[in-house]
Structure formats: structure tokens, C-alpha cells
Amino acid sequence: MKQRIEIEDWLTREELARVRDAVQRAEKLTSGEIRVHLDVAIMEDVMDHAAFVFGNLGMDKTRERNGVLLYVSVPGRKVAVVGDTGIHAKLGTAYWQGVLDTVLAHFKQDRFCDGLCEGVRLLGEKLREHFPHRRDDRDELSNEVSFGK
Ligand code: CA
Ligand code: CA
């Protein structure tokens, strides 16, 4: 049986705004673009679905191909990080393990908003090492949290 939950049960409007602000702040450090996507469905293979969402959100359209998606399947509390080709050329997927561990540790304690904000902050720090902020930076992808059903 599929467990149905609503995003509103999970994060308040204010908390969603906090996550958005975290993205905005993180993107001040890096030319990389970060997005957070929350799915209310239980996904068997989060990595696979995260890659699908990545394409769906047009995240492969950044100039330096350095978009990173923090994907969460909410009911199962499963998390995946997907980076674009520019990132994978420089960093492997193992690079994100520390970020995943941190997010999951927060989730285990029911600190959803903190987990997402902290995950975003860490992604920004990691991205900064290889993709520092540029003076001609544009906000290429929305900073708002996106949702799937
Ligand atoms: Ca940017
Ligand atoms: Ca952005």
C-alpha cells in the first residue's frame, strides 16, 4: 500500500522559504546551481528517479553544466544528490556522501527543514571548491523548492 502524505504535513510555508533562502545563500559562494525537489511518492530507486527529475527541471541547461539536485522521497526519507556532467567530470558521486549522511542524520531526528538547509549549505561549500562564484553570475535555475507527486 502506498503511503500518501502532503508536503504541508512535512514542511510549513515558512520552512519552505527557509530552504529557498538557504539555496540563495549557497549560490552566493558558487557558480553552481542548487535545487531541492521533494517527492511525496515512495521511490524504489531514488537515484534513478532523481536523474529523471533533474532532466525534467531542465537542470542540464546551465552554462557550466554544474547544476546539483538534492532529491528527497519524503515518505521513505530517502535522499539522492545528482550533479550535471560538468561536476561529474571533476567529482564522482561519492563526493556527495558526506552531504547525504548529514541530511539523513537530521531526518532521523525529524529535523526536516534543518536537514535540507544544512544539506544545501554543504552542497554550496563543496561546489565552491571547484566552481567558485563568478562576477558575471546569473541565477540560472529557480531557488524555490519543487514538488512531485
Ligand atoms: Ca548562479
Ligand atoms: Ca538558483
Side-chain angles (χ1 to χ4, degrees):
M1 201 179 88
K2 274 209 169 172
Q3 185 189 353
R4 290 298 302 186
I5 66 146
E6 303 296 329
I7 290 298
E8 296 77 39
D9 301 337
W10 204 62
L11 287 170
T12 64
R13 248 169 221 267
E14 289 72 26
E15 287 175 321
L16 287 172
R18 268 181 63 198
V19 178
R20 179 204 56 215
D21 292 348
V23 171
Q24 213 169 336
R25 253 196 317 278
E27 288 185 1
K28 289 205 163 51
L29 304 177
T30 175
S31 63
E33 290 284 328
I34 300 168
R35 290 209 68 165
V36 177
H37 184 88
L38 307 177
D39 238 323
V40 294
I42 294 179
M43 293 297 167
E44 293 297 321
D45 185 346
V46 275
M47 206 50 211
D48 187 58
H49 201 70
F52 170 77
V53 170
F54 190 94
N56 233 9
L57 291 172
M59 291 191 63
D60 53 351
K61 304 283 191 285
T62 59
R63 181 173 55 176
E64 294 183 83
R65 299 298 300 265
N66 56 1
V68 178
L69 174 66
L70 177 59
Y71 172 92
V72 183
S73 170
V74 175
R77 298 191 190 183
K78 286 192 177 173
V79 186
V81 173
V82 181
D84 206 347
T85 50
I87 289 166
H88 279 291
K90 291 191 179 184
L91 318 162
T93 44
Y95 191 70
W96 310 114
Q97 195 55 50
V99 178
L100 292 174
D101 291 345
T102 302
V103 174
L104 289 171
H106 280 284
F107 283 7
K108 273 211 186 85
Q109 315 240 4
D110 293 335
R111 293 195 301 260
F112 302 117
C113 185
D114 288 346
L116 295 175
C117 291
E118 184 64 8
V120 164
R121 190 186 69 76
L122 287 173
L123 286 176
E125 303 251 304
K126 293 248 170 205
L127 280 169
R128 157 192 232 173
E129 294 168 23
H130 298 273
F131 299 96
H133 191 260
R134 297 161 55 132
R135 267 209 299 196
D136 61 346
D137 180 72
R138 286 186 308 120
D139 188 17
E140 296 177 280
L141 299 172
S142 168
N143 302 331
E144 298 285 345
V145 176
S146 60
F147 306 99
K149 302 181 201 7

